[in-house]
Amino acid sequence: MTGCFSLSEALERTYKSGFKRSGLRPVTIDLKDGTVVNFWVSKTKPESKPKPNLLLIHGLGATAIWQWYDVARRLSRYFNLYIPDLVFFGGSSTTRPERSDIFQAQTLMRALEAQSVKKFSLVGLSYGGFVGYRMASMYADAVEKVVICCAAVCVEEKDMKAGVFKVSDLDEASKILVPESVKKLRELMGYIFYKPALARLVPTCLLHDFIEHALTRDNMEEKRELIKAIPKDRIISEIPKLKQPTLIIWGEHDQVFPLEMGKRLEKHVGDNGKLVIIKRTGHIFNFEKPKKFIKLLKSFLLETSKPQIPVSNV
C-alpha cells in the first residue's frame, strides 16, 4: 500500500546519513561493458596523512550499507574505505551473462583500478568472502591482507549431497537465501541467528516491509544464479592457496556454513591463515557481536608488523 510508513526505508536513510558522517560519499563506476558498480568511498583530503585502503565486500541479503554500517563508522578513521554493492545488488548491474565469484572479483578489481586503487586489504562477508578470496588469489600483488568471514570457500560440489549442509537441495537453498515471501524469510532467520526463536517474535508486517524495501524484489533470479554457481565443479585441490596473511572468522553455531567449513579453509590456507571462532553466534556474528567482530578486524588489519592473529577463540 503506497503512502505507508516503511521502517526499512527509514533505517536506510539513517544508514546513509551515518555513512556520510563517517566521511563516505557515493560514487558510480561505469566499466563500459554493460556493467556498473556503485560504491561508498572515503573522501580524501590532500593535506591529510595517507591511510591504508580497505575493501569491504558484503554478502547476500540487503545492500552494503545494511551489512557494513557499524564496521564503516568504526573503521573510517583508520582506513580509506571502499564499500561496493556487488553486481545485482543495490544500483550495481550488468548486462553480461556471467554469474561466478570470479566475475564479481574481476568486476570489483576493475572498478578499484578506475579509482586508482593499487594496494588494499579486504574483508569478505559470507558470499563476499568467496569474492574476496578470488580477488586475493587472482590479484596477489594488489591485495595485502585478507579477512574471510563465514564463507565456505572450500566447499565441493559433492558436499551438497553428502549432508554437510542443513539444506542439501541447492535450488531450495537459493530460495531460502534469497527469500521473496515472509515464510521463506522466517526460515532464513531460523538459520542465520544463534537464537532463531527470536525470528518468531518479529511481526509479519515488518518482515514484508524488509523484503520490499531492503532485500527488494530486483534481480532475484540472478542472485539465485550466483548461489548455484558457487559449488559447480568445485574441488578443493583446484582452489588456489593464498599467499597473504589471512584471518578466518566464523560463528560457533553457524547453520548456513557449518564450522567444519571454517576448519577446512584454515587447513587449506595453511601457515598464512588462522581461524577464530566467535562463541555463541550464528552466521551473522557481525550483528550479534559487532564489538568483538570489529576488535578482531582492528587488531589484525592495523598491525603494521607481521599480523598477530589471535590464537584463542572469543
Side-chain angles (χ1 to χ4, degrees):
M1 190 182 300
T2 59
C4 292
F5 170 77
S6 167
L7 178 61
S8 295
E9 286 186 335
L11 282 172
E12 186 156 310
R13 285 194 296 270
T14 299
Y15 292 158
K16 286 181 178 178
S17 296
F19 265 40
K20 290 175 181 177
R21 286 195 303 272
S22 298
L24 294 161
R25 62 185 177 89
V27 300
T28 299
I29 308 297
D30 187 346
L31 297 178
K32 309 297 184 183
D33 65 347
T35 305
V36 174
V37 185
N38 281 357
F39 272 81
W40 284 89
V41 177
S42 292
K43 300 175 185 176
T44 55
K45 299 177 181 178
E47 70 278 7
S48 61
K49 182 180 178 181
K51 293 186 287 188
N53 299 318
L54 180 63
L55 175 67
L56 302 177
I57 313 173
H58 68 81
L60 297 172
T63 56
I65 58 170
W66 286 83
Q67 301 187 39
W68 293 120
Y69 177 67
D70 271 337
V71 173
R73 66 192 184 93
R74 293 175 187 271
L75 294 187
S76 59
R77 61 180 292 191
Y78 305 106
F79 298 94
N80 289 323
L81 296 177
Y82 293 85
I83 309 176
D85 284 322
L86 290 168
V87 174
F88 302 124
F89 295 83
S92 298
S93 62
T94 190
T95 57
R96 292 175 57 169
E98 292 96 331
R99 299 292 183 264
S100 67
D101 52 345
I102 294 175
F103 170 68
Q104 294 275 8
Q106 291 169 333
T107 298
L108 288 188
M109 193 64 204
R110 290 175 62 204
L112 289 172
E113 288 172 344
Q115 299 172 81
S116 300
V117 178
K118 294 181 172 59
K119 295 277 188 180
F120 59 95
S121 295
L122 66 82
V123 183
L125 186 65
S126 194
Y127 179 75
F130 290 91
V131 178
Y133 194 96
R134 287 291 188 187
M135 291 188 78
S137 63
M138 294 165 66
Y139 309 107
D141 291 340
V143 180
E144 297 175 311
K145 297 179 186 178
V146 180
V147 183
I148 303 295
C149 306
C150 55
V153 172
C154 287
V155 65
E156 294 188 291
E157 189 167 24
K158 63 183 181 181
D159 289 325
M160 297 307 301
K161 297 179 181 179
V164 174
F165 302 103
K166 293 272 186 176
V167 180
S168 58
D169 182 81
L170 193 55
D171 187 60
E172 178 64 17
S174 71
K175 291 177 181 178
I176 295 170
L177 292 169
V178 184
E180 58 182 322
S181 68
V182 169
K183 180 182 177 182
K184 286 298 182 187
L185 180 53
R186 286 196 190 277
E187 195 171 347
L188 173 62
M189 293 170 71
Y191 286 118
I192 63 177
F193 283 103
Y194 168 53
K195 295 182 178 179
L198 294 174
R200 292 195 289 268
L201 303 178
V202 182
T204 296
C205 61
L206 292 183
L207 296 181
H208 180 76
D209 176 66
F210 188 72
I211 291 171
E212 293 295 329
H213 298 287
L215 297 180
T216 78
R217 296 185 185 278
D218 298 332
N219 304 313
M220 280 195 163
E221 190 53 43
E222 288 85 352
K223 291 173 185 175
R224 288 172 181 158
E225 288 171 2
L226 295 178
I227 296 168
K228 294 174 185 178
I230 290 172
K232 184 174 176 57
D233 300 324
R234 204 177 186 101
I235 302 171
I236 292 178
S237 61
E238 297 178 0
I239 299 170
K241 296 188 178 184
L242 299 187
K243 299 176 182 178
Q244 302 93 333
T246 303
L247 176 61
I248 303 161
I249 309 177
W250 226 270
E252 181 184 20
H253 301 280
D254 194 330
Q255 295 188 75
V256 176
F257 294 130
L259 182 55
E260 174 191 334
M261 285 288 153
K263 295 176 179 177
R264 190 187 287 186
L265 178 56
E266 180 186 39
K267 181 179 179 180
H268 181 73
V269 173
D271 293 341
N272 290 327
K274 180 63 184 180
L275 171 66
V276 175
I277 303 162
I278 302 182
K279 294 183 177 179
R280 295 180 294 281
T281 63
H283 188 66
I284 55 170
F285 54 73
N286 54 315
F287 287 107
E288 293 174 318
K289 293 200 175 177
K291 290 182 179 179
K292 288 188 175 180
F293 178 45
I294 291 163
K295 184 178 180 180
L296 285 170
L297 294 180
K298 287 174 66 176
S299 65
F300 175 70
L301 293 168
L302 291 173
E303 178 63 52
T304 53
S305 59
K306 185 177 179 180
Q308 297 300 307
I309 302 173
V311 175
S312 60
N313 294 322
V314 293

